[in-house]
Amino acid sequence: MTHTRTVHVPTTSRAYDVHIGDGILEQVPAIVGKLEPYVRVRTISDSNVAPLYGQRLMDAFDAATYAASLATFEAGEKSKRLSTIECLLEGMAAEAFDRDALVVALGGGVTGDMAGLVAAMYLRGIDYVQVPTSLLAMVDSSVGGKCAVDLSAGKNLAGAFLQPRAVIADVSCLDTIAPELLRDSCGEVIKHAVLADPDMLQDLLRSPIQAEHLDHERMVDLVARNVEIKRDVVAADEREHGARQTLNLGH
């Protein structure tokens, strides 16, 4: 049986579940189907992730009889601009998406920002689901509802708070992350351990995450614990007025 964990995230604006497992990408339509009777699905991904997992997710939605489509943008921080958001919004409007639609963010933190902001703005707000494929997105950016783009004056200056309806993290997607990028993401895991879990810190010191030989079962539990830490902070300070600012340590 696939090793899975579920973490409930309660916030003042919306409560939702984070599903973490090994090989659960094809379960996304079933999880979505328990939320609302969505008619159409727009998956947003970048040019790196879409070739790896886009068709698999589209096939899963098609098999579940959803009207699903995929929109992509050029990977990288340089795309995190209002001009990219405009293109994504215009694409949805041209295809006459309505309020019965769901936006799905398939990718890392940039994709989560882009898809979340598209959902927040389209028709003044529709639902979205996070399907993070990077470790950093799984343990941090996919949870908490912050979505923003960069302006010339600085990073993340134009955005919104919109909690997702669900987060589905398939740790098997980490197998296609470049080892150096996975190691970079471990900094966020270590930060959470330093802030809130000495036992997790000791475990990481004894047995560091090995990018080349990922233990999927361990990663499910590790991601779940990190989500719990992020959950507790977000639930106490959803809009980042105080305690949530501690999560900016090292940013």
Side-chain angles (χ1 to χ4, degrees):
M1 180 180 292
T2 300
H3 181 43
T4 60
R5 295 277 302 276
T6 301
V7 179
H8 186 65
V9 180
T11 70
T12 54
S13 63
R14 173 180 287 163
Y16 54 96
D17 288 332
V18 180
H19 307 268
I20 308 109
D22 178 15
I24 63 170
L25 188 65
E26 278 75 17
Q27 296 180 26
V28 171
I31 294 170
V32 164
K34 296 177 182 179
L35 301 175
E36 297 285 348
Y38 301 109
V39 175
R40 302 177 68 186
V41 175
R42 174 68 118 206
T43 297
I44 294 176
S45 191
D46 70 21
S47 57
N48 288 338
V49 174
L52 296 171
Y53 301 111
Q55 193 57 54
R56 276 180 60 188
L57 190 56
M58 290 301 96
D59 290 345
F61 275 120
D62 288 343
T65 68
Y66 283 93
S69 58
L70 176 66
T72 63
F73 62 90
E74 188 66 27
E77 185 78 18
K78 63 184 179 299
S79 291
K80 219 173 87 167
R81 310 290 294 187
L82 287 170
S83 56
T84 311
I85 294 292
E86 181 181 13
C87 290
L88 293 169
L89 289 169
E90 290 284 7
M92 292 186 68
E95 295 179 38
F97 277 82
D98 209 336
R99 292 188 180 278
D100 59 12
L102 176 74
V103 171
V104 175
L106 175 66
V110 172
T111 298
D113 269 322
M114 304 297 284
L117 192 52
V118 165
M121 296 176 70
Y122 191 72
L123 296 177
R124 299 182 180 89
I126 61 174
D127 288 347
Y128 80 113
V129 165
Q130 291 267 15
V131 184
T133 59
S134 72
L135 181 59
L136 185 57
M138 290 181 187
V139 303
D140 181 42
S141 61
S142 65
V143 178
K146 290 202 301 187
C147 45
V149 293
D150 304 337
L151 300 179
S152 298
K155 284 177 57 64
N156 297 328
L157 293 182
F161 284 92
L162 180 67
Q163 300 295 341
R165 288 299 310 273
V167 179
I168 304 105
D170 183 346
V171 299
S172 70
C173 293
L174 299 177
D175 291 340
T176 55
I177 300 292
E180 60 272 17
L181 294 179
L182 188 67
R183 284 192 289 269
D184 284 348
S185 299
C186 289
E188 198 73 13
V189 176
I190 294 168
K191 180 187 77 175
H192 286 162
V194 169
L195 288 172
D197 194 331
D199 290 338
M200 182 168 68
L201 180 60
Q202 290 303 313
D203 178 64
L204 290 168
L205 290 172
R206 286 192 301 269
S207 180
I209 297 170
Q210 300 291 330
E212 294 80 4
H213 304 286
L214 278 182
D215 179 339
H216 286 190
E217 288 204 2
R218 183 193 185 199
M219 292 308 298
V220 169
D221 292 331
L222 194 58
V223 170
R225 179 61 189 127
N226 277 265
V227 170
E228 290 172 344
I229 293 169
K230 179 76 180 280
R231 179 268 316 274
D232 292 343
V233 176
V234 170
D237 180 22
E238 182 178 1
R239 297 278 176 153
E240 202 174 41
H241 294 304
R244 189 168 177 177
Q245 294 179 22
T246 62
L247 296 177
N248 293 329
L249 174 67
H251 286 189

